[in-house]
């Protein structure tokens, strides 16, 4: 296997090898950063590193359109959504990773992960990594327009029906998000100025509001 | 000559394993969702590599659909997280035993 040889094989160009090593370092460094970061914001930024590294590897493999989409959709939209929720909920405080409620959880998780990795790599080596028919849908290389034109042709001809289904899926996801994040009882008429409080928190927040009002009234005459 | 596909597949296997490890170890729901994203990216890398090795655009089309599904999954997952945090101030995965029978 090429991975097991200590130096680059003669068939791999120097630039390709360097790009792969840099991309792999970005991917793995970011992945371990996500798992080990104590602060959720740092984990999200490490996730950006991983996603960017994957985009670099996509370009190395000739998937230019997917690399652009990876940066725009994943690093641009999804991570921003993560950061927005982290800061919206105010959970950007440090997490104590030394705390371990289930005693055997971590050793067992490491053992399972190593077993899974060993199984995957053994399966790949045993199965000669990629077997099957070549060029069933359409070739990636060799036609005009490159990978963008090939991808567009495949999506809007062979895969037109799944593409339409994704539109329905996105609409369902948007509706689901709206329903989930709707406050219970938001449809009812609420007194003006009190509509912001969630129903189950209303008594507590009313008490807090009254306390603040009292303080204001006490401080006002001075 | 380009980098052989088995390097990419091994890297994707390692990335998937790290994501799975994080999902098993971490208790913050948001970080667990990020680890799911890591695993999805490992699968995407595998699909693009197969697409190149077999010279078939179908793998890249599948990555396109995985991107859409990942976006929908994140939207719904974060909506659930926001709904949970609205009821509990500090929700790790251990606190979410409401569904326990």
């Amino acid at each position: 296997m090429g991975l097991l040889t200590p130096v680059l094989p003669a068939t791999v160009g120097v630039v390709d090898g360097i790009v792969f090593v840099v991309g792999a370092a970005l991917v793995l460094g970011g992945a371990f950063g996500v798992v080990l970061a104590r602060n959720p914001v740092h984990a999200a930024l490490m996730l950006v590193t991983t996603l960017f590294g994957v985009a670099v590897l996509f370009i190395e493999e000739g998937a230019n359109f997917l690399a652009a989409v990876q940066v725009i959709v994943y690093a641009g939209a999804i991570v921003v959504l993560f950061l927005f929720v982290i800061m919206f909920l105010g959970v950007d405080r440090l997490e104590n990773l030394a705390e371990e409620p289930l005693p055997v959880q971590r050793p067992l998780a490491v053992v399972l992960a190593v077993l899974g990795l060993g199984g995957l790599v053994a399966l790949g080596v045993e199965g000669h990594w990629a077997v099957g028919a070549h060029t069933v849908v359409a070739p990636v290389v060799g036609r005009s327009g490159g990978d963008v034109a090939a991808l567009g042709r495949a999506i809007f001809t062979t895969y037109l029906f799944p593409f339409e289904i994704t539109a329905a899926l996105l609409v369902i996801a948007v509706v689901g998000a709206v329903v989930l994040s709707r406050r219970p009882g938001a449809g009812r008429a609420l007194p003006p100025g009190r509509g912001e409080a969630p129903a189950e928190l209303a008594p507590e927040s009313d008490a807090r509001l009254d306390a603040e009002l009292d303080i204001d009234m006490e401080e006002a005459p001075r | 000559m380009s980098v052989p596909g088995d390097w990419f597949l091994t890297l994707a296997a390692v990335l998937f394993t790290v994501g799975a490890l994080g999902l098993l170890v971490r208790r913050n729901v948001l970080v667990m969702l990020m680890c799911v994203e890591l695993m999805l990216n490992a699968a995407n890398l595998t699909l693009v590599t197969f697409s190149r090795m077999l010279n078939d655009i179908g793998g890249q089309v599948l990555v396109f659909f995985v991107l859409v599904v990942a976006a929908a999954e994140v939207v719904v997952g974060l909506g659930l997280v926001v709904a949970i945090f609205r009821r509990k101030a500090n929700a790790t995965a251990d606190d979410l035993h409401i569904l326990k029978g």
Side-chain angles (χ1 to χ4, degrees), chain A residues 103-136:
Chain A
V104 292
Q105 185 186 13
R106 284 183 190 170
L108 200 59
V110 171
V111 168
L112 280 177
V114 169
L115 277 180
L117 177 64
L120 280 175
V121 174
L123 199 62
V125 173
E126 183 66 24
H128 304 289
W129 298 107
V131 287
H134 288 251
T135 319
V136 175

PDB file of all heavy atoms in Angstrom, chain A residues 103-136:
ATOM      1  N   PRO A 103     -18.031   5.895  34.249  1.00  0.00           N
ATOM      2  CA  PRO A 103     -16.611   5.565  34.423  1.00  0.00           C
ATOM      3  C   PRO A 103     -15.983   4.870  33.214  1.00  0.00           C
ATOM      4  O   PRO A 103     -14.857   5.165  32.842  1.00  0.00           O
ATOM      5  CB  PRO A 103     -16.599   4.640  35.638  1.00  0.00           C
ATOM      6  CG  PRO A 103     -17.938   4.774  36.265  1.00  0.00           C
ATOM      7  CD  PRO A 103     -18.885   5.256  35.241  1.00  0.00           C
ATOM      8  N   VAL A 104     -16.703   3.943  32.587  1.00  0.00           N
ATOM      9  CA  VAL A 104     -16.074   3.164  31.515  1.00  0.00           C
ATOM     10  C   VAL A 104     -16.304   3.780  30.144  1.00  0.00           C
ATOM     11  O   VAL A 104     -15.881   3.211  29.143  1.00  0.00           O
ATOM     12  CB  VAL A 104     -16.610   1.716  31.512  1.00  0.00           C
ATOM     13  CG1 VAL A 104     -16.144   0.980  32.743  1.00  0.00           C
ATOM     14  CG2 VAL A 104     -18.116   1.696  31.395  1.00  0.00           C
ATOM     15  N   GLN A 105     -16.959   4.958  30.100  1.00  0.00           N
ATOM     16  CA  GLN A 105     -17.375   5.464  28.791  1.00  0.00           C
ATOM     17  C   GLN A 105     -16.191   5.742  27.866  1.00  0.00           C
ATOM     18  O   GLN A 105     -16.171   5.310  26.715  1.00  0.00           O
ATOM     19  CB  GLN A 105     -18.182   6.744  28.988  1.00  0.00           C
ATOM     20  CG  GLN A 105     -18.768   7.283  27.691  1.00  0.00           C
ATOM     21  CD  GLN A 105     -19.441   8.616  27.893  1.00  0.00           C
ATOM     22  OE1 GLN A 105     -19.272   9.249  28.914  1.00  0.00           O
ATOM     23  NE2 GLN A 105     -20.194   9.046  26.917  1.00  0.00           N
ATOM     24  N   ARG A 106     -15.182   6.464  28.393  1.00  0.00           N
ATOM     25  CA  ARG A 106     -14.101   6.887  27.497  1.00  0.00           C
ATOM     26  C   ARG A 106     -13.219   5.738  27.028  1.00  0.00           C
ATOM     27  O   ARG A 106     -12.957   5.631  25.825  1.00  0.00           O
ATOM     28  CB  ARG A 106     -13.279   7.967  28.177  1.00  0.00           C
ATOM     29  CG  ARG A 106     -14.051   9.267  28.124  1.00  0.00           C
ATOM     30  CD  ARG A 106     -13.316  10.411  28.703  1.00  0.00           C
ATOM     31  NE  ARG A 106     -14.254  11.522  28.795  1.00  0.00           N
ATOM     32  CZ  ARG A 106     -13.997  12.643  29.438  1.00  0.00           C
ATOM     33  NH1 ARG A 106     -12.844  12.796  30.059  1.00  0.00           N
ATOM     34  NH2 ARG A 106     -14.879  13.597  29.471  1.00  0.00           N
ATOM     35  N   PRO A 107     -12.744   4.864  27.938  1.00  0.00           N
ATOM     36  CA  PRO A 107     -11.962   3.724  27.432  1.00  0.00           C
ATOM     37  C   PRO A 107     -12.735   2.877  26.432  1.00  0.00           C
ATOM     38  O   PRO A 107     -12.204   2.494  25.379  1.00  0.00           O
ATOM     39  CB  PRO A 107     -11.645   2.921  28.698  1.00  0.00           C
ATOM     40  CG  PRO A 107     -11.781   3.872  29.803  1.00  0.00           C
ATOM     41  CD  PRO A 107     -12.783   4.875  29.398  1.00  0.00           C
ATOM     42  N   LEU A 108     -14.029   2.666  26.743  1.00  0.00           N
ATOM     43  CA  LEU A 108     -14.842   1.863  25.835  1.00  0.00           C
ATOM     44  C   LEU A 108     -14.990   2.550  24.483  1.00  0.00           C
ATOM     45  O   LEU A 108     -14.906   1.895  23.425  1.00  0.00           O
ATOM     46  CB  LEU A 108     -16.214   1.643  26.471  1.00  0.00           C
ATOM     47  CG  LEU A 108     -17.035   0.479  25.928  1.00  0.00           C
ATOM     48  CD1 LEU A 108     -16.271  -0.816  26.115  1.00  0.00           C
ATOM     49  CD2 LEU A 108     -18.363   0.408  26.656  1.00  0.00           C
ATOM     50  N   ALA A 109     -15.171   3.895  24.503  1.00  0.00           N
ATOM     51  CA  ALA A 109     -15.315   4.635  23.250  1.00  0.00           C
ATOM     52  C   ALA A 109     -14.042   4.539  22.424  1.00  0.00           C
ATOM     53  O   ALA A 109     -14.088   4.339  21.202  1.00  0.00           O
ATOM     54  CB  ALA A 109     -15.650   6.097  23.538  1.00  0.00           C
ATOM     55  N   VAL A 110     -12.874   4.664  23.084  1.00  0.00           N
ATOM     56  CA  VAL A 110     -11.606   4.577  22.347  1.00  0.00           C
ATOM     57  C   VAL A 110     -11.445   3.189  21.750  1.00  0.00           C
ATOM     58  O   VAL A 110     -11.065   3.035  20.580  1.00  0.00           O
ATOM     59  CB  VAL A 110     -10.432   4.930  23.283  1.00  0.00           C
ATOM     60  CG1 VAL A 110      -9.108   4.619  22.604  1.00  0.00           C
ATOM     61  CG2 VAL A 110     -10.484   6.392  23.674  1.00  0.00           C
ATOM     62  N   VAL A 111     -11.768   2.159  22.534  1.00  0.00           N
ATOM     63  CA  VAL A 111     -11.635   0.787  22.028  1.00  0.00           C
ATOM     64  C   VAL A 111     -12.545   0.578  20.822  1.00  0.00           C
ATOM     65  O   VAL A 111     -12.129   0.045  19.781  1.00  0.00           O
ATOM     66  CB  VAL A 111     -11.948  -0.216  23.152  1.00  0.00           C
ATOM     67  CG1 VAL A 111     -12.104  -1.619  22.588  1.00  0.00           C
ATOM     68  CG2 VAL A 111     -10.855  -0.210  24.190  1.00  0.00           C
ATOM     69  N   LEU A 112     -13.792   1.053  20.936  1.00  0.00           N
ATOM     70  CA  LEU A 112     -14.735   0.896  19.827  1.00  0.00           C
ATOM     71  C   LEU A 112     -14.259   1.646  18.592  1.00  0.00           C
ATOM     72  O   LEU A 112     -14.344   1.138  17.470  1.00  0.00           O
ATOM     73  CB  LEU A 112     -16.119   1.411  20.245  1.00  0.00           C
ATOM     74  CG  LEU A 112     -16.956   0.476  21.094  1.00  0.00           C
ATOM     75  CD1 LEU A 112     -18.250   1.152  21.486  1.00  0.00           C
ATOM     76  CD2 LEU A 112     -17.256  -0.790  20.326  1.00  0.00           C
ATOM     77  N   ALA A 113     -13.728   2.873  18.790  1.00  0.00           N
ATOM     78  CA  ALA A 113     -13.264   3.664  17.656  1.00  0.00           C
ATOM     79  C   ALA A 113     -12.091   2.979  16.970  1.00  0.00           C
ATOM     80  O   ALA A 113     -12.035   2.901  15.733  1.00  0.00           O
ATOM     81  CB  ALA A 113     -12.868   5.064  18.117  1.00  0.00           C
ATOM     82  N   VAL A 114     -11.143   2.465  17.759  1.00  0.00           N
ATOM     83  CA  VAL A 114      -9.990   1.793  17.148  1.00  0.00           C
ATOM     84  C   VAL A 114     -10.437   0.542  16.413  1.00  0.00           C
ATOM     85  O   VAL A 114      -9.979   0.259  15.287  1.00  0.00           O
ATOM     86  CB  VAL A 114      -8.937   1.467  18.234  1.00  0.00           C
ATOM     87  CG1 VAL A 114      -7.869   0.549  17.686  1.00  0.00           C
ATOM     88  CG2 VAL A 114      -8.307   2.753  18.746  1.00  0.00           C
ATOM     89  N   LEU A 115     -11.372  -0.203  17.009  1.00  0.00           N
ATOM     90  CA  LEU A 115     -11.897  -1.388  16.330  1.00  0.00           C
ATOM     91  C   LEU A 115     -12.569  -1.007  15.015  1.00  0.00           C
ATOM     92  O   LEU A 115     -12.368  -1.658  13.988  1.00  0.00           O
ATOM     93  CB  LEU A 115     -12.897  -2.107  17.239  1.00  0.00           C
ATOM     94  CG  LEU A 115     -12.330  -3.067  18.282  1.00  0.00           C
ATOM     95  CD1 LEU A 115     -13.466  -3.679  19.081  1.00  0.00           C
ATOM     96  CD2 LEU A 115     -11.524  -4.151  17.601  1.00  0.00           C
ATOM     97  N   GLY A 116     -13.361   0.075  15.048  1.00  0.00           N
ATOM     98  CA  GLY A 116     -14.037   0.515  13.832  1.00  0.00           C
ATOM     99  C   GLY A 116     -13.062   0.934  12.754  1.00  0.00           C
ATOM    100  O   GLY A 116     -13.220   0.573  11.579  1.00  0.00           O
ATOM    101  N   LEU A 117     -12.027   1.685  13.165  1.00  0.00           N
ATOM    102  CA  LEU A 117     -11.021   2.122  12.183  1.00  0.00           C
ATOM    103  C   LEU A 117     -10.305   0.921  11.588  1.00  0.00           C
ATOM    104  O   LEU A 117     -10.121   0.832  10.360  1.00  0.00           O
ATOM    105  CB  LEU A 117     -10.021   3.060  12.856  1.00  0.00           C
ATOM    106  CG  LEU A 117      -8.878   3.545  11.977  1.00  0.00           C
ATOM    107  CD1 LEU A 117      -9.427   4.378  10.842  1.00  0.00           C
ATOM    108  CD2 LEU A 117      -7.883   4.346  12.774  1.00  0.00           C
ATOM    109  N   GLY A 118      -9.915  -0.018  12.468  1.00  0.00           N
ATOM    110  CA  GLY A 118      -9.247  -1.216  11.966  1.00  0.00           C
ATOM    111  C   GLY A 118     -10.125  -1.978  10.993  1.00  0.00           C
ATOM    112  O   GLY A 118      -9.661  -2.433   9.940  1.00  0.00           O
ATOM    113  N   GLY A 119     -11.411  -2.074  11.317  1.00  0.00           N
ATOM    114  CA  GLY A 119     -12.325  -2.773  10.423  1.00  0.00           C
ATOM    115  C   GLY A 119     -12.453  -2.090   9.080  1.00  0.00           C
ATOM    116  O   GLY A 119     -12.406  -2.748   8.030  1.00  0.00           O
ATOM    117  N   LEU A 120     -12.569  -0.749   9.108  1.00  0.00           N
ATOM    118  CA  LEU A 120     -12.711  -0.010   7.848  1.00  0.00           C
ATOM    119  C   LEU A 120     -11.484  -0.189   6.966  1.00  0.00           C
ATOM    120  O   LEU A 120     -11.591  -0.482   5.771  1.00  0.00           O
ATOM    121  CB  LEU A 120     -12.921   1.478   8.144  1.00  0.00           C
ATOM    122  CG  LEU A 120     -14.304   1.946   8.546  1.00  0.00           C
ATOM    123  CD1 LEU A 120     -14.273   3.415   8.913  1.00  0.00           C
ATOM    124  CD2 LEU A 120     -15.266   1.725   7.409  1.00  0.00           C
ATOM    125  N   VAL A 121     -10.275  -0.011   7.563  1.00  0.00           N
ATOM    126  CA  VAL A 121      -9.059  -0.092   6.753  1.00  0.00           C
ATOM    127  C   VAL A 121      -8.856  -1.521   6.255  1.00  0.00           C
ATOM    128  O   VAL A 121      -8.482  -1.739   5.088  1.00  0.00           O
ATOM    129  CB  VAL A 121      -7.847   0.411   7.571  1.00  0.00           C
ATOM    130  CG1 VAL A 121      -6.564   0.193   6.806  1.00  0.00           C
ATOM    131  CG2 VAL A 121      -8.017   1.887   7.889  1.00  0.00           C
ATOM    132  N   ALA A 122      -9.130  -2.499   7.126  1.00  0.00           N
ATOM    133  CA  ALA A 122      -8.976  -3.889   6.695  1.00  0.00           C
ATOM    134  C   ALA A 122      -9.932  -4.205   5.547  1.00  0.00           C
ATOM    135  O   ALA A 122      -9.562  -4.877   4.575  1.00  0.00           O
ATOM    136  CB  ALA A 122      -9.232  -4.827   7.877  1.00  0.00           C
ATOM    137  N   LEU A 123     -11.151  -3.677   5.645  1.00  0.00           N
ATOM    138  CA  LEU A 123     -12.122  -3.890   4.564  1.00  0.00           C
ATOM    139  C   LEU A 123     -11.626  -3.264   3.261  1.00  0.00           C
ATOM    140  O   LEU A 123     -11.742  -3.864   2.184  1.00  0.00           O
ATOM    141  CB  LEU A 123     -13.450  -3.265   4.972  1.00  0.00           C
ATOM    142  CG  LEU A 123     -14.708  -3.723   4.253  1.00  0.00           C
ATOM    143  CD1 LEU A 123     -14.938  -5.192   4.501  1.00  0.00           C
ATOM    144  CD2 LEU A 123     -15.884  -2.914   4.715  1.00  0.00           C
ATOM    145  N   GLY A 124     -11.058  -2.042   3.373  1.00  0.00           N
ATOM    146  CA  GLY A 124     -10.540  -1.392   2.176  1.00  0.00           C
ATOM    147  C   GLY A 124      -9.412  -2.173   1.541  1.00  0.00           C
ATOM    148  O   GLY A 124      -9.383  -2.384   0.325  1.00  0.00           O
ATOM    149  N   VAL A 125      -8.457  -2.631   2.378  1.00  0.00           N
ATOM    150  CA  VAL A 125      -7.316  -3.380   1.837  1.00  0.00           C
ATOM    151  C   VAL A 125      -7.805  -4.683   1.226  1.00  0.00           C
ATOM    152  O   VAL A 125      -7.409  -5.061   0.118  1.00  0.00           O
ATOM    153  CB  VAL A 125      -6.282  -3.637   2.951  1.00  0.00           C
ATOM    154  CG1 VAL A 125      -5.188  -4.563   2.455  1.00  0.00           C
ATOM    155  CG2 VAL A 125      -5.684  -2.329   3.420  1.00  0.00           C
ATOM    156  N   GLU A 126      -8.703  -5.349   1.921  1.00  0.00           N
ATOM    157  CA  GLU A 126      -9.202  -6.639   1.444  1.00  0.00           C
ATOM    158  C   GLU A 126      -9.983  -6.477   0.138  1.00  0.00           C
ATOM    159  O   GLU A 126      -9.912  -7.319  -0.741  1.00  0.00           O
ATOM    160  CB  GLU A 126     -10.097  -7.253   2.527  1.00  0.00           C
ATOM    161  CG  GLU A 126     -10.637  -8.616   2.214  1.00  0.00           C
ATOM    162  CD  GLU A 126      -9.552  -9.681   2.145  1.00  0.00           C
ATOM    163  OE1 GLU A 126      -8.497  -9.464   2.769  1.00  0.00           O
ATOM    164  OE2 GLU A 126      -9.762 -10.704   1.469  1.00  0.00           O
ATOM    165  N   GLY A 127     -10.738  -5.349   0.047  1.00  0.00           N
ATOM    166  CA  GLY A 127     -11.569  -5.149  -1.131  1.00  0.00           C
ATOM    167  C   GLY A 127     -10.894  -4.349  -2.225  1.00  0.00           C
ATOM    168  O   GLY A 127     -11.564  -3.895  -3.135  1.00  0.00           O
ATOM    169  N   HIS A 128      -9.579  -4.150  -2.141  1.00  0.00           N
ATOM    170  CA  HIS A 128      -8.833  -3.376  -3.144  1.00  0.00           C
ATOM    171  C   HIS A 128      -9.425  -1.983  -3.317  1.00  0.00           C
ATOM    172  O   HIS A 128      -9.468  -1.459  -4.434  1.00  0.00           O
ATOM    173  CB  HIS A 128      -8.777  -4.120  -4.476  1.00  0.00           C
ATOM    174  CG  HIS A 128      -8.194  -5.487  -4.349  1.00  0.00           C
ATOM    175  ND1 HIS A 128      -6.858  -5.704  -4.102  1.00  0.00           N
ATOM    176  CD2 HIS A 128      -8.771  -6.703  -4.377  1.00  0.00           C
ATOM    177  CE1 HIS A 128      -6.638  -7.014  -4.011  1.00  0.00           C
ATOM    178  NE2 HIS A 128      -7.777  -7.644  -4.162  1.00  0.00           N
ATOM    179  N   TRP A 129      -9.941  -1.396  -2.261  1.00  0.00           N
ATOM    180  CA  TRP A 129     -10.394  -0.006  -2.118  1.00  0.00           C
ATOM    181  C   TRP A 129     -11.570   0.345  -3.001  1.00  0.00           C
ATOM    182  O   TRP A 129     -12.584   0.786  -2.499  1.00  0.00           O
ATOM    183  CB  TRP A 129      -9.240   0.975  -2.355  1.00  0.00           C
ATOM    184  CG  TRP A 129      -8.145   0.801  -1.372  1.00  0.00           C
ATOM    185  CD1 TRP A 129      -6.919   0.254  -1.604  1.00  0.00           C
ATOM    186  CD2 TRP A 129      -8.148   1.132   0.020  1.00  0.00           C
ATOM    187  NE1 TRP A 129      -6.182   0.222  -0.454  1.00  0.00           N
ATOM    188  CE2 TRP A 129      -6.910   0.758   0.553  1.00  0.00           C
ATOM    189  CE3 TRP A 129      -9.098   1.709   0.854  1.00  0.00           C
ATOM    190  CZ2 TRP A 129      -6.586   0.944   1.892  1.00  0.00           C
ATOM    191  CZ3 TRP A 129      -8.777   1.899   2.180  1.00  0.00           C
ATOM    192  CH2 TRP A 129      -7.528   1.512   2.673  1.00  0.00           C
ATOM    193  N   ALA A 130     -11.480   0.209  -4.296  1.00  0.00           N
ATOM    194  CA  ALA A 130     -12.617   0.574  -5.134  1.00  0.00           C
ATOM    195  C   ALA A 130     -12.761  -0.461  -6.234  1.00  0.00           C
ATOM    196  O   ALA A 130     -11.858  -0.618  -7.054  1.00  0.00           O
ATOM    197  CB  ALA A 130     -12.437   1.965  -5.741  1.00  0.00           C
ATOM    198  N   VAL A 131     -13.867  -1.161  -6.227  1.00  0.00           N
ATOM    199  CA  VAL A 131     -14.144  -2.098  -7.304  1.00  0.00           C
ATOM    200  C   VAL A 131     -15.518  -1.767  -7.848  1.00  0.00           C
ATOM    201  O   VAL A 131     -16.361  -1.200  -7.158  1.00  0.00           O
ATOM    202  CB  VAL A 131     -14.113  -3.561  -6.823  1.00  0.00           C
ATOM    203  CG1 VAL A 131     -12.702  -4.004  -6.546  1.00  0.00           C
ATOM    204  CG2 VAL A 131     -14.964  -3.740  -5.584  1.00  0.00           C
ATOM    205  N   GLY A 132     -15.772  -2.115  -9.078  1.00  0.00           N
ATOM    206  CA  GLY A 132     -17.072  -1.877  -9.674  1.00  0.00           C
ATOM    207  C   GLY A 132     -16.934  -1.395 -11.103  1.00  0.00           C
ATOM    208  O   GLY A 132     -15.827  -1.252 -11.633  1.00  0.00           O
ATOM    209  N   ALA A 133     -18.078  -1.121 -11.707  1.00  0.00           N
ATOM    210  CA  ALA A 133     -18.093  -0.681 -13.097  1.00  0.00           C
ATOM    211  C   ALA A 133     -17.592   0.756 -13.181  1.00  0.00           C
ATOM    212  O   ALA A 133     -17.890   1.584 -12.323  1.00  0.00           O
ATOM    213  CB  ALA A 133     -19.500  -0.782 -13.663  1.00  0.00           C
ATOM    214  N   HIS A 134     -16.830   1.049 -14.198  1.00  0.00           N
ATOM    215  CA  HIS A 134     -16.330   2.404 -14.414  1.00  0.00           C
ATOM    216  C   HIS A 134     -17.320   3.173 -15.287  1.00  0.00           C
ATOM    217  O   HIS A 134     -17.900   2.627 -16.218  1.00  0.00           O
ATOM    218  CB  HIS A 134     -14.962   2.359 -15.101  1.00  0.00           C
ATOM    219  CG  HIS A 134     -13.863   1.893 -14.189  1.00  0.00           C
ATOM    220  ND1 HIS A 134     -12.893   2.717 -13.706  1.00  0.00           N
ATOM    221  CD2 HIS A 134     -13.623   0.678 -13.649  1.00  0.00           C
ATOM    222  CE1 HIS A 134     -12.085   2.036 -12.920  1.00  0.00           C
ATOM    223  NE2 HIS A 134     -12.503   0.778 -12.869  1.00  0.00           N
ATOM    224  N   THR A 135     -17.505   4.467 -14.939  1.00  0.00           N
ATOM    225  CA  THR A 135     -18.232   5.410 -15.789  1.00  0.00           C
ATOM    226  C   THR A 135     -19.625   4.894 -16.132  1.00  0.00           C
ATOM    227  O   THR A 135     -19.947   4.602 -17.273  1.00  0.00           O
ATOM    228  CB  THR A 135     -17.442   5.699 -17.080  1.00  0.00           C
ATOM    229  OG1 THR A 135     -16.079   5.830 -16.744  1.00  0.00           O
ATOM    230  CG2 THR A 135     -17.893   6.990 -17.702  1.00  0.00           C
ATOM    231  N   VAL A 136     -20.462   4.759 -15.101  1.00  0.00           N
ATOM    232  CA  VAL A 136     -21.834   4.300 -15.335  1.00  0.00           C
ATOM    233  C   VAL A 136     -22.719   5.487 -15.695  1.00  0.00           C
ATOM    234  O   VAL A 136     -23.433   5.464 -16.699  1.00  0.00           O
ATOM    235  CB  VAL A 136     -22.376   3.595 -14.078  1.00  0.00           C
ATOM    236  CG1 VAL A 136     -23.826   3.220 -14.266  1.00  0.00           C
ATOM    237  CG2 VAL A 136     -21.549   2.360 -13.790  1.00  0.00           C
TER     238      VAL A 136
END
